[in-house]
Amino acid sequence: MPSRSTASHPESTPSVLPALELIAAENAAAIRRLQADAGASLDSAAARLLAARSVFVLGVGRSGLALKMTAMRLMHLGLRVHVVGETTSPAIGPGDVLLVASGSGTTGAIVRAAEAAAAAGAGIVAISTDPDSTLGGLADVTVVVLAARKQDHDGQVSAQYSGGLFEQSVVVIGDAIFHGLWKASGASAEELWPRHANLE
């Protein structure tokens, strides 16, 4: 294990370009798999979010940050969106949809939230690597991503660290759902713009 001084101050500065090429290639491959295998689930997820009374968004760690990006875009589209855990998030109920992401599909906080949402009569849309996981069993729709889970360190599925490809895929899926719904709505960018935050 390298010493702290060695890790903090390498003898030569490595080039980032090979890493950029790797990440681009892995994302391109993940997107191709989504195009080949997940078209129906993506369309179903989009339809359920559009029809929801309210959309509740929940993820843990970097997956949660990625889903917050999706929450913002769905709000720009005019949907009623709540980020679970925020003080203004109300109770979930029938007609609502919980949108969650968990690479393993077994993240405790995510599974418990999905169980509570199901008990309250809400729908569940999940993004995961494992459709047969506990979360996959609770979800009405699961968008399956071919990516490593955060504890898969053997590099066989992704050479990136600790779930990086999955979290990037969550961003791409969220943006793709938004873009598809936006174009189907016929609204212009100018019509969406007034919903952007103006207290920044």
Side-chain angles (χ1 to χ4, degrees):
M1 180 174 179
S3 68
R4 185 172 181 180
S5 60
T6 302
S8 301
H9 305 286
E11 293 181 8
S12 62
T13 303
S15 173
V16 175
L17 289 180
L20 189 61
E21 293 170 4
L22 168 72
I23 291 168
E26 288 195 350
N27 274 274
I31 289 170
R32 286 194 296 271
R33 284 297 298 266
L34 287 168
Q35 290 172 319
D37 302 332
S41 60
L42 285 167
D43 288 347
S44 182
R48 284 178 176 268
L49 295 173
L50 183 63
R53 182 183 66 170
S54 292
V55 176
F56 289 74
V57 172
L58 176 63
V60 174
R62 282 167 46 105
S63 297
L65 295 174
L67 279 184
K68 284 184 178 181
M69 296 172 67
T70 300
M72 179 185 286
R73 281 292 186 250
L74 294 177
M75 176 274 292
H76 290 158
L77 194 60
L79 277 63
R80 182 182 299 164
V81 186
H82 304 287
V83 175
V84 176
E86 297 294 325
T87 56
T88 55
S89 185
I92 197 169
D96 297 329
V97 169
L98 175 65
L99 172 62
V100 291
S102 168
S104 66
T106 60
T107 307
I110 303 300
V111 170
R112 289 190 296 272
E115 289 171 341
I124 301 164
V125 172
I127 304 172
S128 180
T129 66
D130 187 357
D132 299 319
S133 64
T134 305
L135 181 61
L138 291 164
D140 302 293
V141 179
T142 302
V143 178
V144 180
V145 178
L146 181 63
R149 303 170 192 173
K150 65 183 178 183
Q151 294 188 19
D152 291 343
H153 298 157
D154 58 15
Q156 292 186 15
V157 179
S158 171
Q160 294 187 62
Y161 176 70
S162 193
L165 178 59
F166 176 74
E167 294 141 5
Q168 292 153 11
S169 297
V170 172
V171 174
V172 170
I173 289 167
D175 276 357
I177 288 173
F178 160 77
H179 193 83
L181 290 175
W182 172 38
K183 290 306 177 182
S185 76
S188 66
E190 288 74 19
E191 289 175 284
L192 269 58
W193 183 251
R195 299 191 185 100
H196 276 251
N198 59 3
L199 296 179
E200 297 174 323

